[in-house]
Every structure is written in structure tokens, then in C-alpha cells.
Amino acid sequence: MSWEKSIEELRRRERLAEEMGGEEPVSRQRGRGKLTVRERVAFLADPGSFHEIGKIAGKATYGADEELDGFMPSNSVMGRARLDGHPAVILADDFTVRGGAADAAIWQKMAQAIKMAAEYRMPLVQMIDGTGGGGSVKMLEKDPRTYIPETPGWSEIVHGLTQVPFVSLALGPCAGMGAGRVAASHFSIMVKELSQVFVAGPPVAIALGENVTKEELGGWKIQGQNGTVDNVVDSEADAFIAARRFLSYLPPSVHHLPGRIQPADDPKRKEESLLSIVPKDGRTPYKPRRIVEAVVDKGSFFEIGHDWGRGIVTGLARIDGHAVGIMAGDPFFLDGAWTADVCDKVTRHMDLCSTFHLPVIHFVDCPGFAVGVKAETAGVTRAGVRAMTAVYQASVPVCSVIIRKAYGLAGSAMMNQSKTKWRYCWPSGDWGSLPMAGGIEAAFRKELTEAEDPAALKEQLYKKFEAIRSPFRTAESFFAEEIIDPRETRPLLVDFVQHAQRIVEPGERQTGFRP
């Protein structure tokens, strides 16, 4: 006696699952310029490495003879795979089955994927392409009742985020639960013109009086610039590449340390361009990414959040083969002042680096928190205090390189200054409780008003205080620990990162209250 007939039935059901939503929905999916869920998995995973779990889960109908009459697979494809040789869990939506609606996904598959990733210490990559929730209101006709909202699997998401890297790729319209899953990640990606992310779609917005398209409501120009998603790319292929690259810097879980790759760059390399990259007038902006790229291992800088919080550049890189987090003030945007969204970006990046044990290199150029009605309306004070707290709560070593400005509360948040100040200052450093410009006029208003030659007195005062603000005077009192030749930055950062490896430790992060 053999089980051959059962195996034949298993293979038949597997073939039905591979048909996804059927010929017409699959054709529509491709007609929109989108890959199918199974094509996406094949492109993302290392060839032949995907092991699917729950392939034949779905909705079946049976005839009078109790034989299978019809089958619609779950619109959630999940399983284990390898990405660049490293184990990972993949969870992918199938839009061809009821538009990726969450109630057709069989929520236990999502929960199982997240549990497996967290328990077996593997990253989770989600490819999200779904309308979320229970789909159309028409579904109420089939089950004529409403329900008190509940989100099965959300507790697994919350716990999983503390354990392993979550990467979310928005690859179509993502609404409701789909939008929530995009945001509930350590790194999220949208594809231009292909994906949208919103709490509810245009029909709901139209009912509320806003006549908008999907792109106008939640397209990349909105969500990429407000920080809902981290990066925006041009194609699905670019999204797969970005996901793999992001994961290449991180450990598989918080219970591991990031791996080191064999460096191909000279640890003692000195870039001559750094000597003149910062203009001497103290006002003209420069490109901070050029500084970052000059000192990290060549070609290793991976920027995160390019389109939002633009007063600061954040990302990941390698120094002597070791993975590090990067922050760099960008004077092209409000002179690098910390606006509310810059503060949110700092908070998020410091949390990412602390969670996954990445030492941080902070290239400081910050004139303080943004000032004015617009900044206050956006909540810069609360956001700023949260960012400062995130920096002080960081569990990883931070090395600050003061490039130019460091003023006020925001300027002080370059590192946790109650700890060892592993800090280097360029000769272009300019710091204090408030900038000299404007401060001299305010402090000497009476004298300037009463002077016979106010212009001459003002010039004299500026000359005097210009000498006082020399970084060498700060160093005389050991308030600036080391002033360095900018060309020495890379070798000194290599030294820092090597020492940082002595104190970074694996494990879950414990974070206190954040205001």
C-alpha cells in the first residue's frame, strides 16, 4: 500500500497555489508594471533557496463527492530563504487574490513568519502589496455583522521589532494594515509611481471631501518626504537591492554583533580634499556626503532617509570593514538647524544603531534647534528633547567629529557628554551657547547706541570676539579634546571603531522613558 495518490493530490494543490489569483488577475498585475508575488520572491531570494511554508493554505470548495472542486490560495506567501547567503524569513502579499486584503491572507501565516524570524534570529523581509483590513464593504453581505477592531499578529510585530531587523518593501497600494506593516519596520522602501501608502484609500478620502488620486494621497513624494518610508527607489529591482544592502550592515538579530567584512581600503588613507572642503567664511555651505564618502571605506556609504529631515544626513557605512551608523549635519538646509523632522530622524537613527549594536560616527555641524513660529508650530521643542534623550540613551559608542558649528541644546547633543568624549575637532570648528552673529549686537546694544562711531566699535568688538572663538583657545582649557588635521580623520576613525568593538555587546536593548 502506498501514499502515492495523496502525494499526487498534494502536487495538484501546489500547482493550483502557483496560479495565484488566476489568469485574469495575474494579467492585470503585470499590466500595471508589477511583478507577481512569486516572481518577487524569486528575484529577492538567492536562487533555489526559498522554502515555502503553508503553500496550500487557502479557501477550498468541495463537490457533492467531497472532492476538491475549486481552490483560491491565501494571498500571503511566506517561508525561509537566503539573502546573499544569509538566512531570512520572507513574507509577501499577493495582490491578485482579493487585492491583497488582510482577511484573505490567513493571519496565522503572518504571525508564524514573525515568530519564526524572532525565535530563530533571522531578519524578516516583507513585500507589501495589499489593501489591508477586511477588503470591501461588500464582504459584509457574506457575513452580515460588524466587529470590534482587533489586529491579530500585532503583538508579534511589536516583539519582533525588538529582536530582528524588519525590512518592508511597499510594492503597490498599501492601506490600513498594509500601511501599518510598512511603517512598523526598521527600514522601508517605496517604488516611484508603483506604490502608495495611506491609512485609507481615495474613496474614503473623497467621502470626507478630498477628491484625490492614490498618488496624491499617499505617493512617494508625500511619504518619502515626511519620513513614513525611509527610501524611495525607481523600480522593484532597486527595492530588492536596497533591502539586501541594508541587511548587509546589520546582524541577524539583537543577540548577535554585526559581522566584519575583509576591507579592501587602506585604513591609513588620507584624503587631501578634506583640507579645503569647508569654506573659511563660516557661512558658505559644503556637501557633507563628500566628507562621509572620503573617510569611510570606499563605496560603503548607504544613505537612509535622503528625502526627509534634510538638515541631517543619516545612513550606514563600513570603516575598516566594521559596520557603523553615520550622522552628518547638512548646512544646505537651514544651515543644518535641527527642525522637528530632523529631530525625529536623529531619534530613529540612534535607536536603529543602538538596537543592532552599530557604533555611531557623528559629523557635527549644527547651529542649534530651528527658530521661529514655523519651527515651534511643528513641535521642535518636544521633538528636540526626544532626540537629545535618544542620543543619551544610546547603548553604543559615539565618536563626534566637529566639522563646523555646534551651538545650543541641539549642538550639545552630538554625543552623551557624560561619557568619555571620544571627539575630534577640525580647525573650522565654531561653537558656543549661541552664535556670535547677532549676539554681539544684542549684548552691546547700549554701548553701540551711545558710541560716537558705532560702526567702528562694532568692528572692534567683532575682531575681539573672533579671537576669543578660536578653537585653539577652547583646546587650551581641554574643552576641545583634540584638534586634528582633517586629513587624519579616517585613520583616527579606524582607531575608534577598533576600540568600539571592545565594548559593544549583543543582547536586547533596555530603554527608559522618553519625553
Side-chain angles (χ1 to χ4, degrees):
M1 184 175 180
S2 168
W3 290 93
E4 189 65 33
K5 288 193 68 174
S6 295
I7 299 304
E8 289 175 0
E9 176 64 10
L10 171 63
R11 299 302 175 225
R12 180 167 79 102
R13 291 177 180 241
E14 288 175 341
R15 289 192 294 273
L16 290 172
E18 289 170 358
E19 293 176 4
M20 296 169 283
E23 186 175 340
E24 185 178 337
V26 167
S27 178
R28 286 200 303 268
Q29 175 87 349
R30 290 176 174 148
R32 297 186 182 106
K34 298 164 66 177
L35 297 172
T36 67
V37 65
R38 296 190 174 277
E39 289 168 340
R40 287 168 174 166
V41 170
F43 276 111
L44 176 67
D46 291 355
S49 71
F50 183 62
H51 175 85
E52 188 170 356
I53 301 169
K55 185 172 185 176
I56 64 172
K59 185 175 180 60
T61 56
Y62 293 87
D65 57 359
E66 297 301 326
E67 293 294 319
L68 183 69
D69 187 46
F71 178 72
M72 182 62 67
S74 159
N75 61 16
S76 177
V77 174
M78 61 87 68
R80 298 184 298 275
R82 287 187 173 271
L83 306 183
D84 293 330
H86 301 288
V89 174
I90 293 176
L91 177 63
D93 298 344
D94 183 359
F95 195 82
T96 70
V97 178
R98 287 201 43 232
D103 63 349
I106 305 182
W107 69 265
Q108 292 90 341
K109 292 183 77 173
M110 180 185 76
Q112 171 84 325
I114 297 169
K115 285 180 181 178
M116 179 180 293
E119 291 177 17
Y120 286 84
R121 302 179 178 181
M122 295 183 282
L124 173 73
V125 180
Q126 302 182 95
M127 293 184 279
I128 303 170
D129 186 3
T131 57
S136 169
V137 172
K138 284 186 176 181
M139 295 304 297
L140 296 176
E141 292 182 329
K142 296 182 179 180
D143 188 2
R145 59 167 176 76
T146 58
Y147 59 88
I148 298 173
E150 186 176 351
T151 308
W154 199 259
S155 61
E156 283 80 4
I157 290 175
V158 172
H159 175 66
L161 285 166
T162 70
Q163 301 297 306
V164 298
F166 275 35
V167 176
S168 293
L169 283 59
L171 302 177
C174 305
M177 181 61 172
R181 289 167 59 207
V182 171
S185 57
H186 299 106
F187 179 60
S188 55
I189 308 167
M190 283 183 77
V191 180
K192 291 180 182 179
E193 315 302 338
L194 189 74
S195 55
Q196 301 84 31
V197 177
F198 30 60
V199 173
V204 179
I206 291 169
L208 294 173
E210 291 190 67
N211 191 7
V212 291
T213 65
K214 287 189 296 185
E215 200 65 27
E216 291 169 338
L217 181 60
W220 66 273
K221 291 182 180 178
I222 293 174
Q223 308 296 23
Q225 292 177 14
N226 66 17
T228 295
V229 297
D230 295 300
N231 284 19
V232 176
V233 297
D234 293 325
S235 68
E236 290 192 54
D238 290 335
F240 304 148
I241 292 169
R244 285 169 169 266
R245 190 164 180 203
F246 173 80
L247 289 174
S248 73
Y249 297 92
L250 269 57
S253 80
V254 299
H255 303 286
H256 301 79
L257 292 177
R260 179 182 184 235
I261 66 171
Q262 187 61 37
D265 199 354
D266 181 2
K268 297 180 180 180
R269 175 170 54 83
K270 299 176 183 180
E271 291 291 339
E272 193 68 27
S273 63
L274 296 178
L275 191 60
S276 56
I277 196 169
V278 177
K280 294 202 70 174
D281 62 13
R283 296 183 302 275
T284 303
Y286 57 88
K287 296 180 179 180
R289 292 170 184 82
R290 287 179 56 196
I291 295 176
V292 173
E293 290 164 355
V295 301
V296 303
D297 293 356
K298 287 184 178 179
S300 73
F301 180 54
F302 177 73
E303 186 168 356
I304 298 173
H306 177 277
D307 296 325
W308 74 288
R310 301 193 71 181
I312 197 159
V313 175
T314 58
L316 306 175
R318 290 190 180 273
I319 293 181
D320 197 36
H322 294 285
V324 297
I326 297 291
M327 296 200 303
D330 191 340
F332 271 92
F333 297 91
L334 286 181
D335 202 30
W338 282 20
T339 56
D341 60 343
V342 167
C343 294
D344 289 343
K345 189 173 179 179
V346 169
T347 300
R348 178 170 169 78
H349 197 62
M350 290 301 299
D351 285 349
L352 172 70
C353 294
S354 282
T355 298
F356 294 107
H357 323 305
L358 299 170
V360 174
I361 312 296
H362 186 182
F363 298 93
V364 180
D365 192 350
C366 175
F369 291 124
V371 175
V373 173
K374 183 178 179 181
E376 296 297 347
T377 302
V380 68
T381 303
R382 175 59 61 83
V385 170
R386 286 180 61 81
M388 291 178 66
T389 305
V391 171
Y392 272 71
Q393 289 175 338
S395 56
V396 292
V398 177
C399 176
S400 293
V401 182
I402 302 181
I403 304 299
R404 191 156 66 182
K405 292 184 175 68
Y407 278 95
L409 278 176
S412 77
M414 63 183 72
M415 62 188 353
N416 181 344
Q417 297 204 46
S418 69
K419 295 183 177 181
T420 298
K421 296 183 179 71
W422 205 302
R423 176 165 61 188
Y424 302 107
C425 306
W426 283 17
S428 48
D430 177 15
W431 41 67
S433 60
L434 74 168
M436 293 289 185
I440 290 174
E441 287 85 347
F444 291 91
R445 182 180 293 110
K446 184 175 184 296
E447 290 86 344
L448 288 167
T449 302
E450 296 174 352
E452 291 184 8
D453 189 345
L457 176 58
K458 180 178 175 181
E459 183 180 350
Q460 180 184 345
L461 288 169
Y462 263 88
K463 184 176 181 180
K464 174 183 176 181
F465 283 98
E466 187 69 23
I468 290 174
R469 68 196 282 264
S470 165
F472 297 110
R473 295 203 182 187
T474 309
E476 288 170 4
S477 300
F478 197 58
F479 290 136
E481 295 76 27
E482 294 188 58
I483 298 176
I484 65 169
D485 180 335
R487 294 168 292 190
E488 297 284 349
T489 304
R490 174 173 167 79
L492 288 169
L493 290 180
V494 168
D495 179 58
F496 163 73
V497 170
Q498 290 174 349
H499 283 285
Q501 302 309 308
R502 298 161 60 87
I503 63 171
V504 288
E505 295 180 343
E508 295 184 40
R509 185 178 179 221
Q510 302 297 322
T511 305
F513 177 76
R514 190 171 291 166

PDB file of all heavy atoms in Angstrom, residues 149-167:
ATOM      1  N   PRO A 149     -12.789  46.230  16.232  1.00  0.00           N
ATOM      2  CA  PRO A 149     -11.484  46.054  15.578  1.00  0.00           C
ATOM      3  C   PRO A 149     -10.454  45.377  16.480  1.00  0.00           C
ATOM      4  O   PRO A 149     -10.360  45.653  17.677  1.00  0.00           O
ATOM      5  CB  PRO A 149     -11.062  47.489  15.255  1.00  0.00           C
ATOM      6  CG  PRO A 149     -12.326  48.251  15.182  1.00  0.00           C
ATOM      7  CD  PRO A 149     -13.230  47.626  16.206  1.00  0.00           C
ATOM      8  N   GLU A 150      -9.721  44.490  15.887  1.00  0.00           N
ATOM      9  CA  GLU A 150      -8.602  43.818  16.534  1.00  0.00           C
ATOM     10  C   GLU A 150      -7.568  43.571  15.441  1.00  0.00           C
ATOM     11  O   GLU A 150      -7.928  43.380  14.278  1.00  0.00           O
ATOM     12  CB  GLU A 150      -9.055  42.505  17.159  1.00  0.00           C
ATOM     13  CG  GLU A 150      -7.989  41.808  17.969  1.00  0.00           C
ATOM     14  CD  GLU A 150      -8.520  40.542  18.655  1.00  0.00           C
ATOM     15  OE1 GLU A 150      -9.734  40.321  18.640  1.00  0.00           O
ATOM     16  OE2 GLU A 150      -7.689  39.785  19.181  1.00  0.00           O
ATOM     17  N   THR A 151      -6.305  43.578  15.801  1.00  0.00           N
ATOM     18  CA  THR A 151      -5.254  43.370  14.802  1.00  0.00           C
ATOM     19  C   THR A 151      -4.448  42.131  15.164  1.00  0.00           C
ATOM     20  O   THR A 151      -3.444  42.222  15.874  1.00  0.00           O
ATOM     21  CB  THR A 151      -4.324  44.602  14.716  1.00  0.00           C
ATOM     22  OG1 THR A 151      -5.115  45.776  14.524  1.00  0.00           O
ATOM     23  CG2 THR A 151      -3.355  44.449  13.554  1.00  0.00           C
ATOM     24  N   PRO A 152      -4.906  40.966  14.712  1.00  0.00           N
ATOM     25  CA  PRO A 152      -4.162  39.738  15.015  1.00  0.00           C
ATOM     26  C   PRO A 152      -2.730  39.829  14.488  1.00  0.00           C
ATOM     27  O   PRO A 152      -2.485  40.306  13.380  1.00  0.00           O
ATOM     28  CB  PRO A 152      -4.952  38.659  14.260  1.00  0.00           C
ATOM     29  CG  PRO A 152      -6.315  39.232  14.068  1.00  0.00           C
ATOM     30  CD  PRO A 152      -6.102  40.694  13.892  1.00  0.00           C
ATOM     31  N   GLY A 153      -1.797  39.408  15.309  1.00  0.00           N
ATOM     32  CA  GLY A 153      -0.396  39.410  14.900  1.00  0.00           C
ATOM     33  C   GLY A 153       0.359  40.668  15.289  1.00  0.00           C
ATOM     34  O   GLY A 153       1.592  40.710  15.147  1.00  0.00           O
ATOM     35  N   TRP A 154      -0.347  41.698  15.778  1.00  0.00           N
ATOM     36  CA  TRP A 154       0.366  42.936  16.090  1.00  0.00           C
ATOM     37  C   TRP A 154       1.307  42.776  17.277  1.00  0.00           C
ATOM     38  O   TRP A 154       2.377  43.383  17.325  1.00  0.00           O
ATOM     39  CB  TRP A 154      -0.606  44.082  16.337  1.00  0.00           C
ATOM     40  CG  TRP A 154       0.076  45.416  16.191  1.00  0.00           C
ATOM     41  CD1 TRP A 154       0.517  46.233  17.184  1.00  0.00           C
ATOM     42  CD2 TRP A 154       0.448  46.049  14.966  1.00  0.00           C
ATOM     43  NE1 TRP A 154       1.118  47.352  16.665  1.00  0.00           N
ATOM     44  CE2 TRP A 154       1.106  47.262  15.297  1.00  0.00           C
ATOM     45  CE3 TRP A 154       0.307  45.716  13.622  1.00  0.00           C
ATOM     46  CZ2 TRP A 154       1.602  48.133  14.324  1.00  0.00           C
ATOM     47  CZ3 TRP A 154       0.795  46.584  12.662  1.00  0.00           C
ATOM     48  CH2 TRP A 154       1.438  47.771  13.017  1.00  0.00           C
ATOM     49  N   SER A 155       0.929  41.950  18.240  1.00  0.00           N
ATOM     50  CA  SER A 155       1.838  41.730  19.376  1.00  0.00           C
ATOM     51  C   SER A 155       3.123  41.067  18.904  1.00  0.00           C
ATOM     52  O   SER A 155       4.213  41.352  19.416  1.00  0.00           O
ATOM     53  CB  SER A 155       1.162  40.869  20.449  1.00  0.00           C
ATOM     54  OG  SER A 155       0.813  39.592  19.930  1.00  0.00           O
ATOM     55  N   GLU A 156       3.012  40.179  17.908  1.00  0.00           N
ATOM     56  CA  GLU A 156       4.210  39.551  17.348  1.00  0.00           C
ATOM     57  C   GLU A 156       5.080  40.591  16.638  1.00  0.00           C
ATOM     58  O   GLU A 156       6.315  40.539  16.710  1.00  0.00           O
ATOM     59  CB  GLU A 156       3.818  38.445  16.358  1.00  0.00           C
ATOM     60  CG  GLU A 156       3.344  37.156  17.004  1.00  0.00           C
ATOM     61  CD  GLU A 156       1.889  37.213  17.459  1.00  0.00           C
ATOM     62  OE1 GLU A 156       1.227  38.238  17.193  1.00  0.00           O
ATOM     63  OE2 GLU A 156       1.423  36.247  18.075  1.00  0.00           O
ATOM     64  N   ILE A 157       4.446  41.555  15.960  1.00  0.00           N
ATOM     65  CA  ILE A 157       5.207  42.619  15.296  1.00  0.00           C
ATOM     66  C   ILE A 157       5.960  43.448  16.329  1.00  0.00           C
ATOM     67  O   ILE A 157       7.160  43.717  16.175  1.00  0.00           O
ATOM     68  CB  ILE A 157       4.266  43.513  14.466  1.00  0.00           C
ATOM     69  CG1 ILE A 157       3.748  42.750  13.245  1.00  0.00           C
ATOM     70  CG2 ILE A 157       4.974  44.800  14.039  1.00  0.00           C
ATOM     71  CD1 ILE A 157       2.712  43.506  12.431  1.00  0.00           C
ATOM     72  N   VAL A 158       5.258  43.857  17.384  1.00  0.00           N
ATOM     73  CA  VAL A 158       5.881  44.698  18.408  1.00  0.00           C
ATOM     74  C   VAL A 158       7.072  43.992  19.039  1.00  0.00           C
ATOM     75  O   VAL A 158       8.145  44.583  19.234  1.00  0.00           O
ATOM     76  CB  VAL A 158       4.839  45.096  19.483  1.00  0.00           C
ATOM     77  CG1 VAL A 158       5.514  45.802  20.649  1.00  0.00           C
ATOM     78  CG2 VAL A 158       3.766  45.986  18.872  1.00  0.00           C
ATOM     79  N   HIS A 159       6.907  42.714  19.359  1.00  0.00           N
ATOM     80  CA  HIS A 159       8.015  41.956  19.950  1.00  0.00           C
ATOM     81  C   HIS A 159       9.130  41.733  18.932  1.00  0.00           C
ATOM     82  O   HIS A 159      10.320  41.900  19.237  1.00  0.00           O
ATOM     83  CB  HIS A 159       7.520  40.615  20.478  1.00  0.00           C
ATOM     84  CG  HIS A 159       8.626  39.739  20.988  1.00  0.00           C
ATOM     85  ND1 HIS A 159       9.385  40.047  22.099  1.00  0.00           N
ATOM     86  CD2 HIS A 159       9.122  38.558  20.510  1.00  0.00           C
ATOM     87  CE1 HIS A 159      10.287  39.113  22.300  1.00  0.00           C
ATOM     88  NE2 HIS A 159      10.149  38.196  21.357  1.00  0.00           N
ATOM     89  N   GLY A 160       8.746  41.376  17.704  1.00  0.00           N
ATOM     90  CA  GLY A 160       9.741  41.090  16.675  1.00  0.00           C
ATOM     91  C   GLY A 160      10.653  42.264  16.395  1.00  0.00           C
ATOM     92  O   GLY A 160      11.853  42.087  16.140  1.00  0.00           O
ATOM     93  N   LEU A 161      10.117  43.483  16.475  1.00  0.00           N
ATOM     94  CA  LEU A 161      10.926  44.673  16.225  1.00  0.00           C
ATOM     95  C   LEU A 161      12.042  44.836  17.244  1.00  0.00           C
ATOM     96  O   LEU A 161      13.036  45.513  16.974  1.00  0.00           O
ATOM     97  CB  LEU A 161      10.035  45.918  16.232  1.00  0.00           C
ATOM     98  CG  LEU A 161       9.161  46.128  14.987  1.00  0.00           C
ATOM     99  CD1 LEU A 161       8.092  47.169  15.255  1.00  0.00           C
ATOM    100  CD2 LEU A 161      10.006  46.537  13.785  1.00  0.00           C
ATOM    101  N   THR A 162      11.889  44.231  18.403  1.00  0.00           N
ATOM    102  CA  THR A 162      12.945  44.303  19.416  1.00  0.00           C
ATOM    103  C   THR A 162      14.000  43.218  19.231  1.00  0.00           C
ATOM    104  O   THR A 162      15.017  43.225  19.941  1.00  0.00           O
ATOM    105  CB  THR A 162      12.360  44.164  20.839  1.00  0.00           C
ATOM    106  OG1 THR A 162      11.903  42.811  21.042  1.00  0.00           O
ATOM    107  CG2 THR A 162      11.220  45.127  21.073  1.00  0.00           C
ATOM    108  N   GLN A 163      13.768  42.305  18.276  1.00  0.00           N
ATOM    109  CA  GLN A 163      14.616  41.126  18.163  1.00  0.00           C
ATOM    110  C   GLN A 163      15.430  41.041  16.883  1.00  0.00           C
ATOM    111  O   GLN A 163      16.616  40.693  16.915  1.00  0.00           O
ATOM    112  CB  GLN A 163      13.748  39.857  18.277  1.00  0.00           C
ATOM    113  CG  GLN A 163      12.973  39.736  19.571  1.00  0.00           C
ATOM    114  CD  GLN A 163      13.884  39.632  20.772  1.00  0.00           C
ATOM    115  OE1 GLN A 163      14.767  38.768  20.818  1.00  0.00           O
ATOM    116  NE2 GLN A 163      13.690  40.501  21.749  1.00  0.00           N
ATOM    117  N   VAL A 164      14.794  41.320  15.750  1.00  0.00           N
ATOM    118  CA  VAL A 164      15.454  41.097  14.457  1.00  0.00           C
ATOM    119  C   VAL A 164      15.159  42.259  13.517  1.00  0.00           C
ATOM    120  O   VAL A 164      14.180  42.988  13.691  1.00  0.00           O
ATOM    121  CB  VAL A 164      14.984  39.776  13.802  1.00  0.00           C
ATOM    122  CG1 VAL A 164      15.349  38.583  14.663  1.00  0.00           C
ATOM    123  CG2 VAL A 164      13.480  39.801  13.538  1.00  0.00           C
ATOM    124  N   PRO A 165      15.990  42.446  12.483  1.00  0.00           N
ATOM    125  CA  PRO A 165      15.709  43.502  11.509  1.00  0.00           C
ATOM    126  C   PRO A 165      14.422  43.233  10.737  1.00  0.00           C
ATOM    127  O   PRO A 165      14.209  42.119  10.245  1.00  0.00           O
ATOM    128  CB  PRO A 165      16.920  43.452  10.574  1.00  0.00           C
ATOM    129  CG  PRO A 165      18.002  42.774  11.356  1.00  0.00           C
ATOM    130  CD  PRO A 165      17.294  41.787  12.231  1.00  0.00           C
ATOM    131  N   PHE A 166      13.569  44.232  10.641  1.00  0.00           N
ATOM    132  CA  PHE A 166      12.364  44.196   9.820  1.00  0.00           C
ATOM    133  C   PHE A 166      12.586  45.125   8.625  1.00  0.00           C
ATOM    134  O   PHE A 166      12.854  46.316   8.802  1.00  0.00           O
ATOM    135  CB  PHE A 166      11.143  44.709  10.593  1.00  0.00           C
ATOM    136  CG  PHE A 166      10.439  43.696  11.445  1.00  0.00           C
ATOM    137  CD1 PHE A 166      11.135  42.696  12.113  1.00  0.00           C
ATOM    138  CD2 PHE A 166       9.065  43.761  11.630  1.00  0.00           C
ATOM    139  CE1 PHE A 166      10.484  41.776  12.913  1.00  0.00           C
ATOM    140  CE2 PHE A 166       8.401  42.853  12.437  1.00  0.00           C
ATOM    141  CZ  PHE A 166       9.099  41.853  13.072  1.00  0.00           C
ATOM    142  N   VAL A 167      12.451  44.591   7.423  1.00  0.00           N
ATOM    143  CA  VAL A 167      12.542  45.389   6.210  1.00  0.00           C
ATOM    144  C   VAL A 167      11.215  45.279   5.470  1.00  0.00           C
ATOM    145  O   VAL A 167      10.718  44.176   5.251  1.00  0.00           O
ATOM    146  CB  VAL A 167      13.691  44.914   5.299  1.00  0.00           C
ATOM    147  CG1 VAL A 167      13.708  45.708   4.001  1.00  0.00           C
ATOM    148  CG2 VAL A 167      15.027  45.035   6.018  1.00  0.00           C
TER     149      VAL A 167
END
